[in-house]
């Protein structure tokens, strides 16, 4: 039903990838914000225009939009999008960022797509239809299934809540330290959307971040659920799509053990 969305996302990816041709190293620190904003806005504008042509009644909730009406999420069809998730990676030419588009129908996610334009790989799920990863280079598609590892054997992904580091930096790294000492290892990638897709593939077993916004996790949330995993607030309650949220995700076993461990503050 939403097959047109990845087609539009791949066109948007070429806008994003074209930035890497314009010599990032020549951009001054002061110029970086404008440079990045230019691409964030260009990608979001393109996605909005093209998706709205197909879903004219939908409300757009996008990271770059100034007047997001999140109060409409519970009553309307909404497109929740992050044009570039992994901005710092993007600025540093680290090549680990994603385009994330989710469709939420009256408060319930019905579709999610996360495109990694560097690997040309699409993670996607439609409600009730399972989750998949499509490798455009080979044309091969694989059904996703979360891992079954216990917390002690887990590879733990986490985000640093960089925009609230004064308030959350210390607790984030204390939590990561405790998990590092009791689990297999920890990873911080720079893209929450891709971290969450790595929960769906089973590469990561649990993930935490003290502060995320709806566009960081909306699309990936349905991909995780359709892959048999769980995404929730720190206390295990359902995620919402308004304001900032502390988010955990994982396979059901490691997720439950993470909550029971009382490691999260
Ligand atoms: C950020 C990334 C990062 C996470 C931050 C997000 P942005 O999104 O997902 O991994 O740690 O909390 O804000 O700003 O690159 O779109
Ligand atoms: Ca983001
Ligand atoms: Ca972003």
């Amino acid at each position: 039903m939403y097959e047109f969305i990845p087609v539009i996302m791949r066109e948007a990816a070429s806008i994003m990838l074209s930035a890497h041709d314009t010599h990032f190293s020549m951009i001054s620190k002061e110029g970086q914000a404008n440079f990045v904003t230019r691409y964030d806005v260009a990608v979001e504008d393109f996605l909005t225009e093209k998706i709205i042509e197909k879903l004219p009644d939908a409300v757009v909730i996008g990271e770059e939009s100034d007047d997001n009406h999140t109060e409409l999420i519970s009553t309307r069809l909404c497109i929740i999008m992050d044009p570039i998730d992994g901005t710092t990676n993007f600025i540093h030419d680290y090549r680990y960022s994603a385009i994330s588009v989710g469709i939420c129908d009256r408060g319930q996610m019905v579709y999610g797509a996360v495109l990694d334009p560097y690997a040309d790989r699409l993670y996607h799920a439609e409600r009730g239809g399972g989750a998949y990863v499509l490798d455009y280079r080979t044309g091969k598609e694989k059904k996703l299934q979360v891992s079954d590892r216990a917390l002690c054997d887990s590879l733990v992904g986490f985000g640093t809540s960089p925009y609230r580091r004064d308030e959350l930096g210390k607790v984030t790294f204390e939590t990561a330290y405790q998990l590092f000492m009791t689990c297999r290892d920890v990873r911080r990638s720079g893209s929450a959307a891709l971290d969450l897709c790595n929960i769906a593939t089973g590469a990561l077993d649990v993930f935490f971040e003290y502060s995320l916004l709806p566009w960081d996790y909306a699309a990936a949330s349905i991909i995780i659920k359709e892959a048999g995993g769980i995404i929730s607030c720190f206390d295990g309650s359902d995620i919402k799509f308004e304001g900032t949220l502390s988010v955990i995700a994982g396979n059901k076993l490691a997720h439950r053990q993470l909550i029971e461990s009382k490691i999260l503050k």
Side-chain angles (χ1 to χ4, degrees):
M1 183 176 181
Y2 296 109
E3 290 84 8
F4 64 91
I5 291 180
V7 178
I8 296 169
M9 289 169 78
R10 278 186 93 214
E11 284 171 30
S14 59
I15 303 173
M16 186 175 153
L17 293 177
S18 71
H20 296 285
D21 302 332
T22 55
H23 303 295
F24 272 62
S25 54
M26 311 257 302
I27 300 153
S28 66
K29 194 156 192 297
E30 300 75 63
Q32 268 180 6
N34 290 336
F35 177 77
V36 169
T37 306
R38 186 147 36 96
Y39 281 93
D40 284 327
V41 171
V43 172
E44 185 162 314
D45 285 353
F46 180 85
L47 291 170
T48 301
E49 188 191 320
K50 297 286 175 183
I51 299 174
I52 284 294
E53 270 174 26
K54 301 272 190 186
L55 299 173
D57 296 330
V59 175
V60 175
I61 312 279
E63 179 168 19
E64 304 309 322
S65 169
D66 293 331
D67 60 343
N68 278 319
H69 290 283
T70 48
E71 75 280 3
L72 296 177
I73 288 180
S74 57
T75 54
R76 299 278 298 275
L77 187 72
C78 293
I79 306 159
I80 308 179
M81 65 168 88
D82 193 339
I84 302 178
D85 182 64
T87 306
T88 307
N89 287 349
F90 180 69
I91 298 170
H92 282 253
D93 204 5
Y94 193 78
R95 294 174 182 257
Y96 201 72
S97 308
I99 298 175
S100 177
V101 177
I103 305 288
C104 189
D105 189 6
R106 287 160 291 166
Q108 202 153 66
M109 291 303 300
V110 291
Y111 178 79
V114 174
L115 177 69
D116 174 348
Y118 302 104
D120 210 3
R121 195 178 290 147
L122 176 81
Y123 303 88
H124 65 107
E126 198 160 334
R127 197 174 156 76
Y132 298 86
V133 59
L134 170 61
D135 183 337
Y136 285 109
R137 287 181 187 159
T138 61
K140 287 194 180 136
E141 187 159 59
K142 214 176 99 187
K143 195 168 195 304
L144 298 177
Q145 174 65 45
V146 294
S147 72
D148 57 6
R149 289 185 200 95
L151 186 62
C152 59
D153 297 323
S154 286
L155 187 58
V156 179
F158 74 106
T160 54
S161 306
Y163 307 114
R164 293 175 66 190
R165 71 182 69 193
D166 289 350
E167 191 189 336
L168 298 172
K170 193 160 182 284
V171 70
T172 294
F173 281 91
E174 280 169 1
T175 304
Y177 175 73
Q178 284 202 50
L179 287 165
F180 177 58
M181 297 311 278
T182 50
C183 303
R184 193 161 278 165
D185 207 340
V186 297
R187 297 284 183 270
R188 191 304 189 251
S189 79
S191 164
L194 289 175
D195 286 340
L196 294 170
C197 289
N198 280 327
I199 294 287
T201 68
L204 290 175
D205 308 294
V206 277
F207 169 87
F208 77 88
E209 185 154 359
Y210 277 85
S211 176
L212 284 175
L213 285 157
W215 37 80
D216 296 318
Y217 56 82
S221 69
I222 182 168
I223 298 172
I224 288 179
K225 285 185 185 162
E226 289 293 329
I230 181 161
I231 177 165
S232 73
C233 303
F234 275 19
D235 62 2
S237 59
D238 284 347
I239 49 167
K240 295 173 278 298
F241 299 105
E242 49 181 284
T244 57
L245 211 64
S246 298
V247 173
I248 47 174
N251 72 52
K252 287 179 182 157
L253 173 65
H255 173 274
R256 177 170 50 76
Q257 291 176 328
L258 179 59
I259 296 175
E260 287 168 0
S261 73
K262 308 265 184 244
I263 289 174
L264 302 164
K265 299 289 172 289

